[in-house]
Amino acid sequence: MTLPLEVVEDLALSAGDELKVEVAGDRIILRPEEDRIERRRKALAAAAGSLPGVHEPGYLETLRDESR
């Protein structure tokens, strides 16, 4: 099924996102399986730590110390 780009962007959908399908009379209603915030949390969790070696060990602690 193809959705209009505007709808995909408005709902922040990505390829592979699952949609709930409901029937209301003669209408088909598609809704994201999860809300936008939950999808973004999952995407962040999947990407977290995916760039090892970008910063040297202890870098965050140094930044925290500088901000105090």
Side-chain angles (χ1 to χ4, degrees):
M1 176 180 296
T2 302
L3 299 174
L5 181 59
E6 183 179 319
V7 171
V8 172
E9 290 174 344
D10 286 350
L11 295 176
L13 296 173
S14 299
D17 284 351
E18 295 189 14
L19 302 173
K20 291 182 185 179
V21 179
E22 299 173 13
V23 176
D26 63 347
R27 295 174 184 230
I28 299 171
I29 302 169
L30 301 174
R31 296 185 184 188
E33 188 72 29
E34 301 169 330
D35 67 16
R36 181 183 298 187
I37 294 172
E38 187 59 31
R39 288 194 313 273
R40 288 183 178 175
R41 281 188 184 134
K42 285 186 174 184
L44 181 59
S50 63
L51 299 173
V54 172
H55 297 291
E56 61 189 48
Y59 177 73
L60 288 179
E61 287 76 17
T62 301
L63 286 179
R64 288 185 186 120
D65 291 342
E66 290 175 1
S67 67
R68 293 181 187 167

